[in-house]
Structure formats: structure tokens, C-alpha cells
Amino acid sequence: MSYRGLVSRNMGIWSFTVAASRLPVAMAPLAFVFLARETTGGYALGAMMAAAYTTAEAVGAPLLGIRLRSRSFRREIAAGLLVSAVFFAALALVPDASSPVAVTMAAAAGAAGAAGPGALRAMVADLVPGRHLHSALSWESSLNMSVWAASPALVAASAVHWSATVPFFVAAAATTVGAVCVLLLPEKTGRPEPDSPTRGTARQLASAWRIYLTSAAAMYLLATVELALPALLEQRNEPVGYSGPMLTGFALASILAGLLYGLRTWPGSPELHSTLLLYGTIAAAGAFAVVPVLGAMAGLLAAAGVCQAIVLIARNLSLQQSLPTDLHPVGYSLQYAGSGIGYGASAAVTGLLLTHTQPSGTVLITAAVTLALATATLTGRTRSAVGGPDGVGDDHQLTGKPASQPSNAPGPSSP
């Protein structure tokens, strides 16, 4: 297995579409902060806009994702991205809008394109042979992490050197490019296959609850580590400016680990990988909170990045195996929503904890909460493997054999 099997025109367009459509999402939270700072002189409005954006994404992803069961992917994704681009442009053109209007536009920009990540992830199964799906999802995860690593610098540089509206013009342009590029891909629809299981849709989606919970837990821990890092460095009497390079090291370690994970098939099932590596992330974050040496802190943060990358990729593979093909976009959207909820909840809790505890205590408390969530997923996995509450054994998750093989043929409407 290697990435040579991914080289094709369609995969090139798909990769560019993923990067273009994810860049605005990665830029948005920090861009809102800079915009509020420039227009109001404070940060409260920026925080409100960021919260509205992420909440709208979390709500919109599953609601729009369910539409894809009976509609063409290209039209739905392109329309959502174009609407999102309109609201990004509006934020740039009317930067001094009243607070209710600004918050509403931020929410609309987040909700409109929320189905895109899940739908694009589901589309990749039709673009590569089945034996390369593992590498394709690893490539997608590494691509996303690269965008997230680059976006803060892009936002900060453009906002500081030019204007806080520039990131929104960039976001509008990138979203528009993504909408155009998705129309160049083969058509795909989420219509149920003739041999799809007869269980109800809600029950099928709920059967993957462990994967959604793993997504939320992973992002819950990641948010605290990122937000508490400057305060933790200050507690250790280290320069707060080191937080930037350390987070860059975290991102680079994540990208490298994601690419390496996609080079081969590893023993055990993807769901087992995601659960065990989540424990590894927790251990690295807990040690990171208590070690007093800067070099050790940087090394542990990089180790957490390695584990985190594999968690993110393995959960995608798990969902691909656990749900029928027509439910992939909805399942990925629910997973995306879970990640957003986990990150948002952690941001709120971290802010509260930092006012009452030391930064090291904040990280340790969050690690303990994440440990409880990880244990819940592992317990649920063990029970389900022998016929748990769902009444169906998930033996394929112990053996690594998919419950339903992903479709590798063109979709019903594909040329």
C-alpha cells in the first residue's frame, strides 16, 4: 500500500476541493477575533461570532447531511459552499454591522457549508480502489491538519499587515473555488443500495455512537491543551511566545503520523486503534501538564499530536466500516458535529477552570474527563462485540472485517 495509488485527476481535484473548502473553516474563529478587535476595540463580539459559527456548523452538519440520501452530492455541496461564501463576503464588506447582524451572518456562514466535510469524505470511496481507501482517508486527514496548521499564520499576517477584513475576502474566495471544483468531480448520490440493511435509519446511525463519542472526546482534550498552553508556559516561568512553535511541532507531528499510518494496514481494527491511541493522547497530555522541563513538554505535545492524528483517521475508517454506504455522509456529519461540540464545550469549560485552578490542574481535569469518555467507548465496544444493547454483535470491529464494504464503483449517476 502506498500513496501512488491515489494519483489521478479526480483525486487531485478532490484534494484541492477539500483544502479550499476547509481553509475558511480553519480561519474563521481567529478571523472573528481580529475583526471584533478592529471594529469594536474588544474581543467579546469575536467570541460570540465564533461560538455562533461553530454551533451552527454542529447543528447544520447532520441536518444538511441527511438531505444527501436523496440528492446529488455535487449540487448540494456547491450550493452550500456558495451560500457560505456570500456571508463571508458580507462580513468583509460590512465589518461594522450591529452585533446581532454580525452574529447572524457568522452563524449562516457556518451552517450553509456544514455538510461539505462529510459529503466530500464519503465521495472519496468512489474515487479510489477499495484497497487504497485507507491511504485516501489518511491523506485527507493530513491535508486537513496542514490547512489547520497554516491558517492561524495566514489570518494573523493578513489582519495585522492589511486589515481584519482580508481573511474574510480570502475565505469567500476559497469557498467559491471549492464550490466550482466540486462540480468537476464525478456525480454521487446517497440513495440506499438494494441490499442495504432493513434496520431503521436512526438505529443504524445510533449504532456508531462509540465513534461519535471518541470524536468528541479527542477534540475536548485537544481544545484544552491548545487554550491552556500559554498559561501553562507562564506557570512554568517560560516565555509565552514558545506556544506558537510548540503548536507548530504538534501539527507537524500530526501530519507526519497521519501520512505514515496510511502507508499500510495495521493489526487490529480501526476502532480499536482509535480507542487505544486516544488513551495514548490522554497519557501524553497528562504528562505534559506536570513535567517542568520545556524540552520534555514539547516532546510530549508532539507525541500527543502523533496519537491524535491516528485517532482522527481511525475513527473515519471505523465509520466507513460500520455504516451502509448511503449513510456515510450523515454519519460523517454527525461525527463532525460531535467534534465541534467537544471542542466548543472544552473551550467554555477551560475558560472557567483557568479562573479557579492552575493551568496544570485544568489540563489534568480535562484529561480525567477524556479518560472517562474513552473508557465508556471501550466498555461499549466490548459489550457490543458479544451482543450489547443494540442486540447485534459487532464482530467485524474485532476482526477488522467491514460490516458493509464501501462502494468502489461509480455512483448511480456517475458517468
Side-chain angles (χ1 to χ4, degrees), residues 180-263:
V180 173
C181 288
V182 78
L183 296 175
L184 303 177
L185 292 170
E187 186 57 279
K188 177 180 175 65
T189 62
R191 286 191 288 270
E193 298 175 354
D195 59 347
S196 291
T198 57
R199 287 191 297 166
T201 298
R203 187 180 178 188
Q204 288 178 285
L205 291 169
S207 68
W209 68 269
R210 297 182 302 278
I211 302 171
Y212 310 141
L213 186 58
T214 299
S215 300
M219 298 308 292
Y220 187 87
L221 181 59
L222 174 62
T224 296
V225 170
E226 288 185 346
L227 296 173
L229 177 56
L232 185 60
L233 287 172
E234 191 172 22
Q235 181 185 351
R236 298 282 184 260
N237 296 316
E238 299 287 354
V240 176
Y242 285 160
S243 58
M246 289 176 70
L247 288 175
T248 299
F250 173 92
L252 293 175
S254 299
I255 294 167
L256 180 60
L259 293 173
L260 291 176
Y261 183 71
L263 285 176

Side-chain angles (χ1 to χ4, degrees), residues 7 33 39 48 50 62 73 76 92 107 127 152 156 168 172 200 226 253 263 283 324 368 378 388:
V7 178
V33 172
T39 57
M48 292 172 59
F73 281 39
E76 293 292 310
L127 302 180
F168 292 97
E226 288 185 346
L263 285 176
L378 186 61

